[in-house]
Amino acid sequence: MSVYSLKMRASRQNGLQAEHVSGAEKILAEEELPEQMQGLLERALHHAKGKADFVNMKIEAIDQSKLQYIDALPVSTHPVSSPAEGRDFILSVLEALGIHNGPAIMEHFKDTYGMRGAMLLDVDTLERLEPDHSRGIRATYMDAEHSLGRTAAAGKNHFQEAIVLASKVLHAPHIIAEICMSDDPDYITGYIATRKTGYVRITKMKEMGCPDGGRIFLYRGDRNDVAACMDYLEKQRVLVRHVPLTPAGDEVNITSPWAVYEKILQDKRQKHLYRETQEIATVQAPHIICRQKEQLLLASNNYLGLIDHDEVKAAAVAAVQKYGTGSGGARLTTGTLTIHNELERQLADFKGTEAAILFNTGYMANVGIISALGIKGSIIFSDERNHASIIDGCRLSHAKTVIYRHNDMHDLEEKLKLYAPCQGLIVTDAVFSMDGDIADLPQIMELAARYKVLTMVDEAHATGVIGETGRGIVEHFALKQKPDVLMGTLSKSLASEGGYACGSQLLIDYLRNTARSYIFSTSLCPAAIAAADKALSILRREPERVRKLRDNTAAFCESLQRNGIDASSESAIVPIILGDEKLAMMAAAELQQKGIFLSAIRYPTVAKGEARLRAAIMATHSKEELRDCARTIAEVITRTKLSLR
Ligand code: PMP
């Protein structure tokens, strides 16, 4: 087998300066070269930092007898919630190595931002040892052993590339530690590597979007060996064995394979992030029985109160009588009953589109639609607060996902510009599930038209809630043009379960043929279909339910405001932001004792430090009970805050 070193370096002209965009290197078998070169080229041309206008690829044959094989450093992860915590951790590792001038070293670390190579620093004298301070020293000619002879994905794997580099660096004479932070604005995990601790990932070394990044090698030893050290870093060809594919690779505990999961749960408990189910003994009406106690329910997605509607229940029962309890197969085998097709026609008619397709849940709809549309080479532009099912759809797709700041049209346009022209899809919640605010769809549609990309909205919390007659976000903004994909769920206003997409016949045909969550799962049962169908017909017949829901939400928010709590909403979701996870948990627990059931929402559902109480209003609440409970909520929050001081 002939072996080659492949190196790519990409930059772009920014005014008079050439700005580094991306760099990578591999050690490869000859037959892997074409595909890997193409992958690296794609990386250079579609990079978050901008499109490269200069790409240099260098290919050199390697004398296999000169290849050195070394083992990867052991890997562990140190989670931190802020860059300051990350820095403190680095200082503590340095202390443990007997290095007491950590703060001064970290000051030097800042000088490495923007350097192409790394700084080589004498830990004791703090002298810089690399001959060219602007270039730094470059650890190069290395790769993971297992990627040789196998066609690995050409995309960036920060994790593996970093382990390879750190393992080589720590093998160099007299290097005792390496500190590194990527300059990729979308990658905030950094690391410190030492022979003693191995490679320790630090989960937050900088804020998302920050372009700073750099690398420092700490040297302790005979100055006469500096040249040999640099020679090793820059010239020795190295293959690193046993590089784990993912960070989880480090957490293998031979004595008990369960220990790692136990630790994760323990960690969640400690951080007030542990979750449990709550058992409800009655129907999802405004008043429920939970923990043997009557509670006012302020947390249900049953926005229009149709779950407990006699006609909806009767329709479900009748469907069971006629079709039985299950659908018996996937949609493309035996799972398409007359009522499945009928509900698809009704949904398309309600949303004013050519066609519709059902999925088994809203979650499965998002995962199926987005992974099907996100073909290789395409770009998905996704709002940072989109629902988890959208995020998972992006992860399952072959597209590159580009996150834009929440409802920030300027940021979205910047990102569209960066990738234009592209096969693209902008995807957003219509009503954001944890904040209750509404996506700026008019602007999104304008941008999509300008940049010729597709649009998709998730109307889980919009259908039956916004728009005069509950038709959702298009009606809310009175738009003439509809997004290409109107996704929604049957599980909220429509009182059942299931998800759907409405759009052109082409879209629906495409999804029926490619969306894996549609194709490979038994279709919805007759009762669920019939209930949703009936709920939809009631929504069309009685649009006043939507008005009632809107009035109720306004009354609840007004009452909260009158009692000193900052809350407002254009939908049926009212977030009461508290920040602290513990405060949110304690307030929710006390409210439950007082007979008010609402959810405390914490990380990872929302960002750390943005914990909140989330109230969901129903059309079937009475204004009086909403006003009363708003007063109680305000009292409990004030008291809990005081008790935590
Ligand atoms: N999208 C959004 C915005 C949601 O809030 C939810 C459910 N919470 C879903 C999708 C998933 O829908 P389902 O519960 O029907 O799976």
Side-chain angles (χ1 to χ4, degrees), residues 470-540:
R471 278 176 165 72
I473 194 164
V474 172
E475 187 182 26
H476 174 84
F477 285 115
L479 294 177
K480 291 201 181 67
Q481 193 79 24
K482 293 189 179 66
D484 298 285
V485 187
L486 291 164
M487 172 272 166
T489 113
L490 308 177
S491 60
K492 299 178 168 51
S493 291
L494 297 179
S496 179
E497 62 185 38
Y500 60 86
C502 297
S504 66
Q505 190 63 53
L506 171 67
L507 170 78
I508 303 308
D509 291 345
Y510 178 73
L511 292 176
R512 270 193 225 286
N513 281 278
T514 56
R516 295 171 65 84
S517 60
Y518 170 85
I519 299 171
F520 296 107
S521 188
T522 297
S523 68
L524 283 164
C525 71
I529 294 286
D533 187 66
K534 182 54 81 179
L536 181 59
S537 73
I538 295 174
L539 166 59
R540 298 178 89 155

Side-chain angles (χ1 to χ4, degrees), residues 1-7 25-28 59-68 141-143 148 235-239:
M1 178 169 64
S2 298
V3 176
Y4 291 84
S5 149
L6 165 64
K7 291 184 183 175
E25 67 169 275
K26 292 174 183 290
I27 294 178
L28 300 165
I59 302 167
E60 292 166 85
I62 288 186
D63 176 352
Q64 282 200 66
S65 66
K66 302 235 164 74
L67 258 174
Q68 183 193 19
Y141 292 113
M142 66 216 156
D143 203 348
L148 182 60
K235 304 214 176 102
Q236 176 64 49
R237 276 68 168 151
V238 167
L239 278 178

Side-chain angles (χ1 to χ4, degrees), residues 535-576:
L536 181 59
S537 73
I538 295 174
L539 166 59
R540 298 178 89 155
R541 189 179 76 201
E542 301 169 12
E544 59 276 15
R545 285 177 182 269
V546 181
R547 211 168 314 126
K548 176 83 194 319
L549 177 60
R550 204 165 12 242
D551 292 349
N552 275 356
T553 309
F556 179 69
C557 290
E558 269 162 34
S559 182
L560 280 173
Q561 286 159 10
R562 223 174 304 120
N563 288 284
I565 300 287
D566 183 22
S568 62
S569 178
E570 293 179 281
S571 62
I573 296 164
V574 184
I576 304 168

Side-chain angles (χ1 to χ4, degrees), residues 301 361-364 366 387 389 429 431 433 458 460-461 487 489-492 498-499:
N301 297 322
T361 63
Y363 180 93
M364 287 170 77
N366 274 333
H387 189 257
S389 52
D429 279 11
V431 169
S433 56
D458 173 341
H461 301 278
M487 172 272 166
T489 113
L490 308 177
S491 60
K492 299 178 168 51

Side-chain angles (χ1 to χ4, degrees), residues 153-352:
K156 178 116 179 138
N157 184 335
H158 282 282
F159 175 70
Q160 284 200 339
E161 288 179 13
I163 305 264
V164 166
L165 187 133
S167 301
K168 180 177 181 194
V169 169
L170 268 292
H171 242 79
H174 305 302
I175 299 286
I176 58 165
E178 182 201 350
I179 303 167
C180 173
M181 180 166 95
S182 167
D183 61 359
D184 184 336
D186 296 334
Y187 193 73
I188 59 172
T189 300
Y191 65 84
I192 180 164
T194 76
R195 290 188 192 157
K196 192 166 164 188
T197 59
Y199 177 101
V200 189
R201 304 169 68 235
I202 303 168
T203 52
K204 188 168 190 182
M205 286 274 279
K206 61 178 183 181
E207 298 298 339
M208 203 65 165
C210 169
D212 292 341
R215 193 184 288 286
I216 192 165
F217 302 153
L218 300 179
Y219 185 95
R220 178 176 262 171
D222 193 332
R223 284 297 186 80
N224 293 322
D225 294 339
V226 170
C229 170
M230 293 201 309
D231 206 54
Y232 180 88
L233 290 168
E234 299 203 317
K235 304 214 176 102
Q236 176 64 49
R237 276 68 168 151
V238 167
L239 278 178
V240 183
R241 282 186 294 235
H242 313 305
V243 178
L245 286 170
T246 63
D250 65 307
E251 310 212 334
V252 179
N253 175 331
I254 314 288
T255 49
S256 165
W258 285 105
V260 57
Y261 307 118
E262 253 173 54
K263 184 167 164 290
I264 291 170
L265 282 186
Q266 225 166 25
D267 203 45
K268 282 187 186 289
R269 280 196 191 93
Q270 229 168 27
K271 293 183 175 151
H272 305 281
L273 297 173
Y274 189 77
R275 287 152 191 253
E276 283 171 291
T277 56
Q278 306 240 34
E279 191 174 299
I280 295 172
T282 48
V283 70
Q284 301 264 307
H287 297 266
I288 55 167
I289 306 274
C290 180
R291 300 190 172 169
Q292 282 98 42
K293 190 172 160 63
E294 183 173 329
Q295 310 255 353
L296 179 75
L297 180 59
L298 265 188
S300 175
N301 297 322
N302 179 20
Y303 296 126
L304 300 178
L306 296 175
I307 282 182
D308 196 24
H309 195 287
D310 285 344
E311 284 181 55
V312 177
K313 290 192 281 192
V317 171
V320 171
Q321 296 296 357
K322 179 163 180 188
Y323 294 102
T325 51
S327 71
R331 284 296 300 277
L332 299 179
T333 59
T334 61
T336 297
L337 303 170
T338 309
I339 47 175
H340 290 91
N341 285 339
E342 178 54 23
L343 180 56
E344 287 177 343
R345 275 193 291 275
Q346 288 300 330
L347 285 165
D349 187 54
F350 183 65
K351 293 280 179 179

Side-chain angles (χ1 to χ4, degrees), residues 46-87:
H46 300 284
H47 199 276
K49 283 166 71 182
K51 187 181 178 115
D53 49 26
F54 175 86
V55 184
N56 187 343
M57 293 237 190
K58 183 168 160 191
I59 302 167
E60 292 166 85
I62 288 186
D63 176 352
Q64 282 200 66
S65 66
K66 302 235 164 74
L67 258 174
Q68 183 193 19
Y69 286 79
I70 62 173
D71 282 333
L73 292 168
V75 179
S76 61
T77 300
H78 184 79
V80 293
S81 53
S82 69
E85 236 183 83
R87 181 178 179 279

